[in-house]
């Protein structure tokens, strides 16, 4: 169970239930995410999230990547991902928002990196903006005129985070990056129905070779690997965070026969679906990263 320590300035206003404004912006504390399960296993997220660690040390498992956490750690999580936070006295401020919150504002939430350890002026600025957002959400709860204020505060925060200098990202030609993003968007819409590169190439109006070249440039993996890893990631999420029968998960992902799903999952992940589910309550070693990162992010900056 995640426990909370002495609240830092950024969390002092976040001890009660999350606050919601008219546009779906919520501020709260880390424990709000896993009240029932107490983080005994990963939680399937249903909203966009920013998580700013404010107290304690521990780890966060975001889509089966274990990341070290301490004050100043920032996580950007999206709907459909799975998250578990572990560590005594680990506490954080959450900012959640809905799909319509940023409509009409010139900001791309997917440009925010999934994991950063803030420091110096960047940390001070982000803590200040998160704190003010939480204070205003509480102070002006239920006030219609405050909706625009909170939306713009969130947009400024996301823009600031998207402008942080890249941490070890390699340069990728712009054309290939854009092709990769377009493929990821199509895969996100269609991975339950097809895993054929040819189908996605036809939808995008390009060749299989073009898609493979873009994927290799951005991720070091082929287009087929990118597609299969997205399917395996979704299977992993459902196996870890739900009690849905394994055969039903396979059918949802396009495998009418459980044996075919089992072979696919074992090939991609290295263990059977049953073994993966049985181990879901075991914490991952910190800094453990899947050998081939998942491909459901529309941009390489979305990977930790």
């Amino acid at each position: 169970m995640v426990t909370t320590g002495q609240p830092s300035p950024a969390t002092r206003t976040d001890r009660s239930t999350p606050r919601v404004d008219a546009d779906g912006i919520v501020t709260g504390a880390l424990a709000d995410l896993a009240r029932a399960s107490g983080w005994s296993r990963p939680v399937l997220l249903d909203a966009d999230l920013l998580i700013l660690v404010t107290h304690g040390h521990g780890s966060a498992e975001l889509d089966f990547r274990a990341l070290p956490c301490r004050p100043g750690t920032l996580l950007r999580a999206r709907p459909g991902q799975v998250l578990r936070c572990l560590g005594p006295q680990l506490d954080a401020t959450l900012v959640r928002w809905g799909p319509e919150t940023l409509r009409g504002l010139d900001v791309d939430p997917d440009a925010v990196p999934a994991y950063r350890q803030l420091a110096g002026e960047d940390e001070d600025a982000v803590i200040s903006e998160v704190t003010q957002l939480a204070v205003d959400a509480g102070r002006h709860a239920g006030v219609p005129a405050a909706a625009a204020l909170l939306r713009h505060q969130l947009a400024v925060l996301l823009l600031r985070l998207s402008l942080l200098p890249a941490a070890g990202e390699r340069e990728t030609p712009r054309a290939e990056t854009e092709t990769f993003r377009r493929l990821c968007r199509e895969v996100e819409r269609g991975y339950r129905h097809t895993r054929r590169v040819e189908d996605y190439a036809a939808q995008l109006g390009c060749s299989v070779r073009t898609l493979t070249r873009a994927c290799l440039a951005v991720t070091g993996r082929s287009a087929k690997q990118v597609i299969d890893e997205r399917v395996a990631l979704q299977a992993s999420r459902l196996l870890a965070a739900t009690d849905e029968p394994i055969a039903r998960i396979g059918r949802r992902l396009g495998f009418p026969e459980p044996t075919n799903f089992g072979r696919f999952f074992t090939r991609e992940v290295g263990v059977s679906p049953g073994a993966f589910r049985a181990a879901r309550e075991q914490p991952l070693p910190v800094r453990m990263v899947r050998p081939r990162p998942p491909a459901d992010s529309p941009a390489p900056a979305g990977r930790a």
Side-chain angles (χ1 to χ4, degrees):
M1 177 74 179
V2 175
T3 58
T4 56
Q6 293 298 315
S8 70
T11 61
R12 199 166 285 137
T13 61
D14 298 334
R15 289 289 145 214
S16 59
T17 56
R19 306 183 182 92
V20 187
D21 87 323
D23 284 292
I25 297 176
V26 178
T27 61
L30 186 61
D32 295 329
L33 286 178
R35 286 174 172 168
S37 70
W39 300 110
S40 62
R41 67 192 196 197
V43 172
L44 189 64
L45 301 177
D46 61 1
D48 285 287
L49 279 180
L50 281 178
I51 302 172
L52 177 64
V53 178
T54 55
H55 184 86
H57 291 70
S59 66
E61 298 172 6
L62 182 60
D63 270 350
F64 315 107
R65 288 167 287 171
L67 306 165
C69 291
R70 59 184 174 86
T73 297
L74 180 83
L75 301 173
R76 160 75 173 105
R78 293 175 293 148
Q81 291 187 302
V82 291
L83 174 73
R84 174 164 55 178
C85 295
L86 302 168
Q89 305 301 314
L90 184 64
D91 198 10
T93 296
L94 308 181
V95 179
R96 287 188 275 188
W97 65 94
E100 301 299 316
T101 302
L102 297 170
R103 182 178 293 276
L105 298 178
D106 188 15
V107 58
D108 179 11
D110 289 324
V112 178
Y115 172 81
R116 291 297 297 268
Q117 180 60 53
L118 303 172
E121 294 179 354
D122 291 331
E123 182 179 12
D124 293 341
V126 170
I127 288 176
S128 176
E129 290 179 4
V130 170
T131 301
Q132 191 62 54
L133 181 59
V135 168
D136 288 339
R139 180 181 299 163
H140 305 300
V143 180
L149 170 66
L150 298 176
R151 290 177 69 239
H152 282 83
Q153 284 178 321
L154 176 60
V156 168
L157 174 60
L158 294 172
L159 285 169
R160 181 181 297 281
L161 292 170
S162 69
L163 292 172
L164 292 177
E169 294 287 347
R170 60 180 177 179
E171 293 283 338
T172 304
R174 180 173 298 179
E176 292 176 347
T177 298
E178 180 56 30
T179 298
F180 175 75
R181 288 175 172 170
R182 293 176 61 211
L183 172 63
C184 285
R185 287 192 288 268
E186 289 299 325
V187 170
E188 197 63 25
R189 286 191 283 263
Y191 69 85
R192 296 174 181 85
H193 311 294
T194 180
R195 301 193 308 279
R196 285 167 39 89
V197 182
E198 292 83 358
D199 292 340
Y200 292 104
Q203 292 168 17
L204 294 171
C206 64
S207 67
V208 169
R209 182 178 179 182
T210 296
L211 293 184
T212 295
R213 183 169 60 245
C215 291
L216 287 172
V218 175
T219 70
R221 292 117 63 212
S222 71
K224 178 60 173 171
Q225 288 174 317
V226 166
I227 296 165
D228 284 348
E229 286 165 10
R230 179 62 186 93
V231 176
L233 172 61
Q234 190 64 21
S236 299
R237 290 169 172 173
L238 296 173
L239 289 167
T242 77
D243 294 319
E244 187 172 356
I246 293 174
R248 186 184 302 168
I249 291 173
R251 288 195 297 271
R252 285 179 58 182
L253 297 176
F255 297 90
E257 295 297 328
T259 54
N260 291 339
F261 174 58
R263 283 196 294 266
F264 169 84
F265 189 87
T266 301
R267 186 189 74 220
E268 289 295 313
V269 179
V271 296
S272 70
F276 186 88
R277 170 165 278 175
R280 63 184 173 179
E281 295 187 7
Q282 300 300 316
L284 298 172
V286 175
R287 296 187 182 278
M288 177 180 173
V289 181
R290 294 181 66 199
R292 295 172 295 179
D296 70 330
S297 173
R303 301 193 308 275

